[in-house]
Amino acid sequence: AQSVTQLGSHVSVSEGALVLLRCNYSSSVPPYLFWYVQYPNQGLQLLLKYTSAATLVKGINGFEAEFKKSETSFHLTKPSAHMSDAAEYFCAVSPRDNYGQNFVFGPGTRLSVLP
Amino acid sequence: ETGVTQSPTHLIKTRGQQVTLRCSSQSGHNTVSWYQQALGQGPQFIFQYYREEENGRGNFPPRFSGLQFPNYSSELNVNALELDDSALYLCASSLYGTVQETQYFGPGTRLLVL
C-alpha cells in the first residue's frame, strides 16, 4: 500500500528565504508524484507533478521539486518565499498502473511566511 | 474552459440525516473523484466514477455512494450521517487514463453534522 509522509506539520520562513517542504513516499514501484497547494477556504491547486520525465520538475509560482528514487523523496523548494506563499501544501502519490483510482495525500504542511 | 464547481458551498445536517453533494466536472473531463478532508488533515479518497460506474473506492463504508451522469457531473450521497462525517468534501475531475491531465479540484462543500 502506498503512503506519504510530510515532515513538519508547520514550517515558518522569513520573506525572501528558501522554502523547503519535505515529502517521502512508500511504494514498491515509483509512483506518480504531485504537490498541491490549498489556500484558506479553497480547494486544491496543482503546483507541479512528476510523471517519469525529468527528475527536476518546475511548477507554478516559482516552485520546483526533485524526485530522488534512492531516497524515496519528492521535496518541494522555492528559492525566495513571498507572503502570498502562505498556505497548506500537500504531497500526493498515485500508482502508475491504475492512476487516479487511489490518490493518496500526505497530512499536509502549513507554510507561514514572516515579514 | 469551465473549472470544477461544487454545490452547495456549506451545509449543516443533523446526525442520522442524509445528504447529497453535487459536482460539475471541468469541460472535456470524463472522470470524477471524491475526497473527504477532515479538519487539519489531508484529503482521503472516497471513490472515483468513470463512464457512470464506480471505478475504484477508498476505505469508506457503503453509506457513502455516488452517481455520475451522462454529462459527467456527479453526486456524492451520504446516508445515516455521523458526527465524524463533518468535513470538507472535494471533487476532482480528470481525463481517465491520462496522467498528463491530472486531477483538478473544485472549491469543496463544507459539511457540518450536529
Side-chain angles (χ1 to χ4, degrees):
Chain A
Q2 298 179 115
S3 66
V4 178
T5 56
Q6 293 183 240
L7 187 62
S9 59
H10 185 203
V11 170
S12 291
V13 300
S14 298
E15 191 173 20
L18 171 72
V19 175
L20 171 61
L21 304 181
R22 300 178 186 274
C23 171
N24 288 86
Y25 68 90
S26 173
S27 176
S28 57
V29 176
Y32 297 127
L33 293 153
F34 306 82
W35 275 99
Y36 283 86
V37 61
Q38 186 176 35
Y39 297 100
N41 300 314
Q42 294 187 28
L44 281 75
Q45 179 183 8
L46 179 69
L47 279 177
L48 49 79
K49 60 187 178 186
Y50 168 73
T51 59
S52 78
T55 56
L56 182 62
V57 180
K58 294 187 184 298
I60 63 172
N61 301 339
F63 284 94
E64 62 182 37
E66 186 174 8
F67 171 67
K68 292 187 176 181
K69 182 179 177 180
S70 61
E71 300 178 4
T72 61
S73 69
F74 190 58
H75 302 331
L76 181 71
T77 60
K78 182 174 180 177
S80 177
H82 192 271
M83 297 295 289
S84 61
D85 295 327
E88 190 87 20
Y89 291 80
F90 294 96
C91 182
V93 301
S94 178
R96 292 170 178 270
D97 54 356
N98 63 340
Y99 165 71
Q101 293 180 28
N102 193 10
F103 227 65
V104 177
F105 282 85
T109 296
R110 183 161 60 93
L111 175 66
S112 296
V113 181
L114 309 174
Chain B
E1 186 177 83
T2 306
V4 179
T5 60
Q6 292 185 243
S7 63
T9 56
H10 295 80
L11 203 52
I12 300 175
K13 292 285 188 178
T14 56
R15 194 170 47 184
Q17 284 189 311
Q18 178 266 343
V19 68
T20 297
L21 310 181
R22 295 177 176 82
C23 172
S24 292
S25 59
Q26 183 167 307
S27 175
H29 287 177
N30 57 12
T31 302
V32 175
S33 301
W34 285 92
Y35 295 82
Q36 180 194 67
Q37 185 179 18
L39 198 61
Q41 298 182 23
Q44 283 196 296
F45 176 73
I46 303 175
F47 44 54
Q48 181 185 80
Y49 274 81
Y50 169 63
R51 290 185 174 177
E52 302 177 48
E53 292 190 359
E54 190 176 287
N55 187 44
R57 188 178 186 93
N59 189 27
F60 280 82
R63 60 188 185 86
F64 285 79
S65 63
L67 286 172
Q68 186 182 32
F69 301 100
N71 66 354
Y72 306 125
S73 65
S74 176
E75 288 182 355
L76 165 65
N77 298 292
V78 187
N79 293 321
L81 284 167
E82 301 177 359
L83 298 180
D84 285 348
D85 295 334
S86 296
L88 180 68
Y89 288 85
L90 297 163
C91 83
S93 73
S94 59
L95 192 58
Y96 182 74
T98 60
V99 67
Q100 290 77 9
E101 292 288 338
T102 196
Q103 297 194 38
Y104 293 90
F105 284 79
T109 293
R110 190 165 295 281
L111 172 65
L112 177 61
V113 182
L114 302 176

